[in-house]
Structure formats: structure tokens, C-alpha cells
Amino acid sequence: MNDGTSTTHNSAYDSTVGIQAETVHNSNVYFVHPDASPQEKYRVGVRYLEDGIPSRARDMISDAIAHGHDDAEVRFHWVLAMLSARAYHDLSAEEVQRLRHASGLVRTYAEGEWKDALRVTFELLAMLSTADGDAGRVPERLRSLPQPRREAILHHFDLVLTGGLKDSLWADTRARAEAARFGNDRVNRVWAYFEPDPIGPRAMPPRPSTAATGQAALRLRAGLFLAVTAFLWVLALLADPAEAAVELLVAAGAGLAAAHFGRHWWYREHQLKAAQGEPQIPHMRDPASPGDGFTNQVRHSFEHYFGNRVPHGLDPYEWLGQTVHIRNDLVAEIALLYRESRIGADRVNWLIRHLAEDARERYGKGTLFDDGRRKKPPVMAKALCVLALGVLGCATLALLGTVASGADGSRMLLAVLAVVGAVSSGRRAAYVWLEARGEERRLAEETEAYEEELAARQAAYQKWKSFLDATRPSEQDMETWLTCDKTVFVDEALRHYQLTWRDLITHTILVTPARPYKRGRVKGGPWRYSRYSFRLFLVTQDGVREISSDFDFTDARRGDEQRSNYRFDALSSVQVTERSEVGYDLELILTNGPARNIRVKDADTHQLAPDENAREIAEINLNAAGFIHTFRLLEGIAADGKGWIERNNPNNLPPFRAPD
């Protein structure tokens, strides 16, 4: 910090600390249909103006006026848009002429509060060339306007009003800024603006069934089994019908019982082996595996949320150790479901948080490690299946005995061959049948689990999205808070230097991102940051005073200030470097100090929607930063020194007169 006449250089100006996060909210607040009516264009133009994008507001409201939508209300907002974030000397000759023409139309509008407000705006412009203290009754008329109109004029005429007139209004401006600075629950809502829009819920769908591929083989093998078995039964019936009938009934009953209990046994055994040997995504199974960028982000998010959502009575490290395999499986699942172009892991953090909470709840219920696919086969089913198979074997031997009791050697040989064929074809048919029934059961279970999981995730998604939508500040909220911060910053600088507005020739404030930061914007709007750097230039007859400080936008906490004072001739040149892949840099070159490299904005071309124009979005961001006015001011001082100041002194401005 330096309060002397020498310059200081802050190494943080050139800091390259990385960006933490950025997001674009897919909002349609600025969308205008190509066939929109003039009234709709005007409405969107007013929204641009209220949200701190006056350049777009000028275009939209001017277009509405050109198509016949013109009254006192429309003209009032048009005048505000023309002068918002601009000093009077920033206007072109054509724009001044348009303002003069508009001032002559005031008398044609219907009487009312909008006409009164419009009349006051032109009276303020007419006072710019009057001597300090000769404000007349204009301040009283301004204060008599309804509060929304009065505050809008003071806000958008910030760089226009100077001298004694602004001195007389500044106390009210400062008081309103201090009152509104933390309004609308700022501290508890700002974070939500930088939270990305969550991506919709997804769950692992059931694997496709392979049962259909075995249907043809099942029919063939089952047909062969039935044919051979029927042949054996015919031989037995021919030998002893009564005894064979009993044996056939016992064999059939035992076979059906073995099939019923055997399929449960086989299915559980098969699922257990599949679960134990299932690789899923092989490189995900190893926690030390590096994976790709998205997967690493997902893994870190799981570790973070599992570490913060620990069951009662457990240590976080113990909980993380117990759930390492569960987390690895979930990382693999999320990576598989959501790994796609331009999708950041922060958009699925809501789901990761839900899964961590679900794991904690299931642990409390004792079901976390109770995976149905890893359940051992039921002992009773195994026992009953073995018993049924034993009975079936005995019944088969009894059938052979019956055939042997009433048949010759050739028929007995045929019976033995039939038993061998029945066992062989039956075994193959049973395997194919078990595979098909197992696939049907697996598909049904996985479908039910998928639907339940998706429904739970859908509920968690809706809950989070509703909370986020209710919490996220509007563009107007963000702009209001930022404006209040700038007002308080300017007021404290004036107090520090013991200056009044009468002492200033002009001023400008450059608002740039302070790294590291999070940033966000709505589609078609400017970037807004979680951390800002305010750089204020106060221009007096003695020179330029520069004050800069970083702000945490959440709670308006300020970092250390840097102050520099220099004469007009000390500013030798001002340069702007535009690099599409990096952003805009402003370089101030002083005769008695190092160059100042100020990052005005970072690149944003990779964050543009397909229907957004890169040049238009860049202009919006530069205007929101106050860059245009700041650059013109510093460039003029660097080029002409004190001569530029004398030409642009408020007391030397040409009078603003309405046409007769």
C-alpha cells in the first residue's frame, strides 16, 4: 500500500491461479423470437437494462421505438440505456442529437409519473454545463419521484452526474447502497448462482436378455428328451402297466420338484459366481488407477461426500475404508452413465451426494452390504432339490427293473439306451432351460431395481433442482449487489482521500475477475464472478488516484488495498491485447514505474451456446466490466495529458438544450 506520489506494483495482477469452476445457465430470460412484437422487444430491453447490460438494452429499446412502440415509459428507459455506464463525453455527436430530439418529444406524451421522470432526466442533462451549486429545484424534483424511478436515474446516471449536484444526492445514494447491499439474503444465496445446472437422473439399465438365443436349442433338446423318455415309459407300460404307472407318477413328481427347487439353487449360485467374477470396468476396480479427468473428478467427489456423510459412531477414515469397494463400483457406474463431451463432474455432484446419503441410511438399516446378487443359495432349496433328484433316480431304476421283468434282452438293451439318452438329453435341456429361466428372472429383478433406483434418483434430482431454483439469485439481484459494492467502495475511497464530487473531474471503476474464482452467467448475459477486483480511478486537477482491492462477492469481504497516485504526464500509453484463447488484457505503461497488466476478462468462446455470437458476448462482458469507459478515459489522458482533462471538464461541457 502506498499513499505517496510514487507508483506501486502488485504482483497479484499477473497471477495465473486457475479457474475453479464455471457454468452457463440455460435460461431464456433474454430470448427474443425473430417475429417478436415491439412490446416484447421493449420488455426484454428493460430486463437487459436492469441486469446491467445497457448496450443490448439500447439496441432492443431503439428497435421497439423504430417499430412504433413509443411513449413516456419507453423513452424513459431508452434515455437510461443511452447514458448507463457512460459519461456524457462518451456519447457520439449522433447520440447527442438523438437525445436532443427525444427531449423535444416530452411535451407530446400523456401526463403521468413516467413523463415526470422523463422530464427530470433531461433537466439533469441540461444542468451538466451549469456552475456548481446552481442546481435549482431539480434535486427536489428528483427526490419527489417514486422511489423506483429515482433510484433508476441515480444508478444509470452515475457517470453523468458530477460536481455539486452529485454531492447533494450522494448521501442518499450511499445510504441506499448500504441498506440493499446484503438484502434478499445475499450471503446465503450467492453460492447458488455459481452452482451448475444439474444434469438429469440416470441409472444403469438392465442388461439385455440372452434367453431368446437359447430358445431354438431348448426346443430341440427338450423334444429329444421327451421322445427318449416317452419311449422308456412305453417299454415299462408294456412290461407291467400298473407298476409302471405308479413309477411314472413318482418320476414325474420328482422331476417337477427337482426343477422347481433346482432353478432357485442354480440361479443364486450362478448370480454369486457372476458377482464375484464380474469385472465391470476393470481399471475402475483399482482405487489407485489414474483413470481419465472426468473419472478422477467423480472419484474425488465420492471421497468428499462419503467423508462428510458418515454414519453415527464411525470415524470418517473407518467409513471410507469400509466403503472403498462400494465407492469404486459407484464411480464406475457414474463414469459409464455420464462420461460425455463437455459434461463436468460438478453437474452430477447432486447424484453423488444422494448416493453417499443413501449409503449412510442403508448402513444404519443394516442393508448396505446385503447385495441380493451375492446371497448364497438357500440351504432348504438345495436339500429338497437333491432329495427330488434322488427320488427321480430311484424311480428311473425302478422303471428299468419293470422293463427287465417282462422283456427280452433286446428290449432291455433299448431301455438302457433310452435311460442313457434321457439322462444326457435331459441334462442338456435342463441347463438351457435354467439359463433361459434365469435370464428371465434376472431381467425382471434388474428391471425392478432399475425402476426403483431411477425413481429415487428422480426424486433426489427434483428436490435438489427445486431448492437450487428457489435459492439462485436473479440477474437483477446479482447486479444490485454488485452496484452496491461499487458504491460503498467509491464512497470509502472519497472519504480516504477527503474528496467530494466537486473535487473530481471524472471517475471510472473497472471491475475484473480476481483469481481463483468461480464464474457463471445466464445464456446471453455477462459473466459474474465469486471474486472481483475493483479498480477505481479518481481524476482530479492534480492527477489520477488509483485504488484497487479484491472482493469476495458472497459476503463483500475485501482484501488488502493497493493505492497509486500519478500525474497526467506519468501515464505514457494504454494498450489492449485481445487473444481469443486467453481473453482481454489492459496494459498501462507509466513513465516512472513498471507496466500494469490487468486481465479484464478471460476467454469464453468454449462456453458459448451454438446460437450465441462471440463478439456480442465479448462486448457485453466488456461493458459490464466498465472497460469501454475506462479505456477511453485512460487512453485520452495518455494521449493528451491535462489537455484532455480540460476539454472534458464538466464545467466546459457544451450546453444540452432541447430543440424549439
Side-chain angles (χ1 to χ4, degrees):
M1 184 181 297
N2 178 24
D3 293 321
T5 58
S6 63
T7 60
T8 59
H9 178 66
N10 179 15
S11 61
Y13 292 166
D14 300 320
S15 174
T16 56
V17 179
I19 299 172
Q20 287 182 314
E22 54 186 24
T23 185
V24 179
H25 304 299
N26 190 22
S27 172
N28 61 356
V29 294
Y30 300 131
F31 175 75
V32 181
H33 194 275
D35 299 328
S37 66
Q39 291 79 3
E40 178 64 17
K41 292 178 180 178
Y42 163 70
R43 185 189 65 79
V44 176
V46 171
R47 175 165 287 174
Y48 272 122
L49 182 63
E50 293 174 343
D51 295 347
I53 316 174
S55 59
R56 293 291 293 142
R58 286 192 290 272
D59 296 338
M60 299 300 296
I61 299 176
S62 296
D63 188 270
I65 292 174
H67 287 84
H69 186 49
D70 187 9
D71 56 25
E73 178 184 352
V74 175
R75 282 290 175 178
F76 172 75
H77 287 107
W78 178 80
V79 173
L80 296 186
M82 290 292 289
L83 293 165
S84 183
R86 306 167 90 187
Y88 186 77
H89 53 72
D90 289 333
L91 301 175
S92 66
E94 179 186 356
E95 289 173 326
V96 172
Q97 186 59 37
R98 291 174 64 189
L99 282 169
R100 287 174 175 164
H101 172 72
S103 67
L105 299 176
V106 175
R107 61 179 179 272
T108 66
Y109 298 130
E111 295 295 333
E113 65 176 61
W114 292 109
K115 183 174 181 178
D116 293 339
L118 181 60
R119 186 182 290 116
V120 169
T121 61
F122 286 117
E123 290 174 349
L124 289 171
L125 288 178
M127 290 181 56
L128 294 180
S129 58
T130 61
D132 281 353
D134 189 17
R137 299 189 59 187
V138 176
E140 292 182 20
R141 299 191 60 181
L142 177 61
R143 291 189 179 96
S144 68
L145 293 175
Q147 181 179 349
R149 314 297 167 255
R150 181 176 68 252
E151 292 183 356
I153 292 174
L154 292 175
H155 170 53
H156 295 292
F157 274 45
D158 177 59
L159 296 177
V160 175
L161 301 178
T162 57
L165 176 59
K166 191 158 188 175
D167 264 339
S168 67
L169 300 169
W170 184 245
D172 292 340
T173 301
R174 181 185 65 238
R176 283 193 302 272
E178 291 174 345
R181 194 178 185 191
F182 296 101
N184 289 337
D185 201 18
R186 169 182 178 171
V187 174
N188 294 318
R189 295 179 61 208
V190 166
W191 67 268
Y193 187 88
F194 305 104
E195 190 74 14
D197 294 327
I199 194 169
R202 302 174 188 174
M204 288 298 293
R207 291 169 294 164
S209 174
T210 59
T213 59
Q215 292 297 328
L218 176 61
R219 286 191 292 270
L220 177 63
R221 293 176 180 178
L224 179 61
F225 170 73
L226 291 175
V228 174
T229 303
F231 179 72
L232 175 62
W233 289 353
V234 168
L235 292 177
L237 289 171
L238 291 175
D240 189 342
E243 188 174 347
V246 174
E247 293 166 348
L248 290 175
L249 290 175
V250 172
L256 292 175
H260 175 73
F261 295 109
R263 65 186 177 92
H264 293 291
W265 177 11
W266 183 91
Y267 179 75
R268 288 300 181 193
E269 195 74 39
H270 184 75
Q271 289 295 93
L272 182 62
K273 291 179 180 179
Q276 291 174 343
E278 190 175 62
Q280 292 192 12
I281 303 178
H283 71 273
M284 299 291 186
R285 303 293 292 181
D286 180 7
S289 176
D292 57 23
F294 176 78
T295 303
N296 281 334
Q297 293 176 27
V298 171
R299 180 179 290 111
H300 292 155
S301 291
F302 269 107
E303 291 175 357
H304 170 74
Y305 286 113
F306 267 76
N308 287 334
R309 285 154 175 80
V310 181
H312 179 71
L314 285 184
D315 180 85
Y317 293 102
E318 181 183 2
W319 173 242
L320 290 174
Q322 290 187 23
T323 58
V324 60
H325 295 299
I326 292 175
R327 293 200 315 276
N328 287 338
D329 288 345
L330 291 175
V331 167
E333 177 184 346
I334 299 303
L336 184 62
L337 287 173
Y338 289 99
R339 184 192 287 113
E340 56 190 60
S341 177
R342 303 175 73 89
I343 295 297
D346 51 356
R347 294 190 63 192
V348 296
N349 277 343
W350 69 270
L351 177 56
I352 297 173
R353 183 170 54 248
H354 161 71
L355 293 173
E357 293 170 353
D358 179 66
R360 180 179 61 184
E361 292 177 3
R362 289 167 57 197
Y363 179 87
K365 297 176 182 177
T367 60
L368 178 60
F369 304 105
D370 183 18
D371 189 345
R373 296 177 57 191
R374 290 171 168 81
K375 285 183 178 179
K376 294 182 178 180
V379 176
M380 183 60 69
K382 294 172 64 175
L384 292 175
C385 179
V386 171
L387 178 61
L389 288 174
V391 173
L392 177 61
C394 293
T396 302
L397 292 176
L399 281 171
L400 279 176
T402 301
V403 172
S405 64
D408 54 17
S410 60
R411 187 177 295 182
M412 184 60 190
L413 178 61
L414 291 175
V416 171
L417 292 175
V419 170
V420 173
V423 171
S424 176
S425 61
R427 181 176 177 276
R428 294 177 181 178
Y431 181 81
V432 175
W433 177 77
L434 288 172
E435 282 278 357
R437 292 300 301 271
E439 276 294 283
E440 292 175 0
R441 181 174 176 180
R442 179 199 60 79
L443 181 61
E445 288 183 354
E446 289 188 2
T447 299
E448 182 181 4
Y450 165 75
E451 292 174 350
E452 291 178 355
E453 185 66 25
L454 187 60
R457 295 182 182 186
Q458 181 69 36
Y461 168 78
Q462 290 296 340
K463 181 179 179 181
W464 173 246
K465 190 174 186 304
S466 298
F467 174 73
L468 200 58
D469 291 342
T471 306
R472 181 179 291 140
S474 66
E475 289 297 294
Q476 190 171 0
D477 286 332
M478 298 291 285
E479 181 64 21
T480 297
W481 294 328
L482 181 60
T483 300
C484 292
D485 287 343
K486 291 190 290 185
T487 300
V488 172
F489 182 62
V490 171
D491 181 71
E492 292 180 359
L494 292 175
R495 290 171 182 265
H496 174 81
Y497 287 112
Q498 297 182 349
L499 295 172
T500 67
W501 289 105
R502 298 172 189 268
D503 302 320
L504 298 183
I505 295 173
T506 188
H507 77 289
T508 186
I509 185 168
L510 184 64
V511 181
T512 58
R515 297 187 175 187
Y517 60 72
K518 297 179 182 179
R519 69 175 181 175
R521 70 180 180 91
V522 299
K523 184 179 176 183
W527 284 111
R528 302 189 185 276
Y529 300 89
S530 61
R531 296 184 71 247
Y532 283 101
S533 179
F534 289 176
R535 186 170 278 102
L536 174 64
F537 298 89
L538 300 175
V539 182
T540 68
Q541 292 291 347
D542 299 326
V544 179
R545 290 178 171 87
E546 177 188 345
I547 312 97
S548 63
S549 181
D550 290 349
F551 274 77
D552 187 322
F553 190 66
T554 300
D555 53 13
R557 283 186 298 178
R558 189 187 309 174
D560 294 336
E561 287 188 358
Q562 296 84 39
R563 300 190 184 96
S564 301
N565 305 322
Y566 41 86
R567 302 183 308 275
F568 297 125
D569 57 1
L571 184 59
S572 61
S573 68
V574 179
Q575 299 178 5
V576 176
T577 303
E578 177 187 356
R579 289 173 287 178
S580 60
E581 297 300 322
V582 177
Y584 283 80
D585 288 338
L586 177 67
E587 185 179 45
L588 276 64
I589 301 177
L590 305 175
T591 58
N592 60 343
R596 302 283 189 83
N597 294 309
I598 304 171
R599 172 61 52 81
V600 179
K601 65 177 290 293
D602 286 314
D604 51 19
T605 53
H606 67 290
Q607 285 283 2
L608 296 180
D611 56 345
E612 287 185 310
N613 181 278
R615 180 62 59 181
E616 183 177 283
I617 296 299
E619 179 185 352
I620 287 173
N621 282 291
L622 291 175
N623 274 281
F627 168 78
I628 304 300
H629 176 66
T630 301
F631 177 70
R632 287 176 178 172
L633 172 63
L634 298 178
E635 185 183 44
I637 294 175
D640 299 332
K642 202 162 186 176
W644 186 91
I645 296 298
E646 292 173 353
R647 286 196 305 273
N648 291 276
N649 192 308
N651 294 326
N652 298 330
L653 289 176
F656 180 88
R657 292 193 181 94
D660 296 333

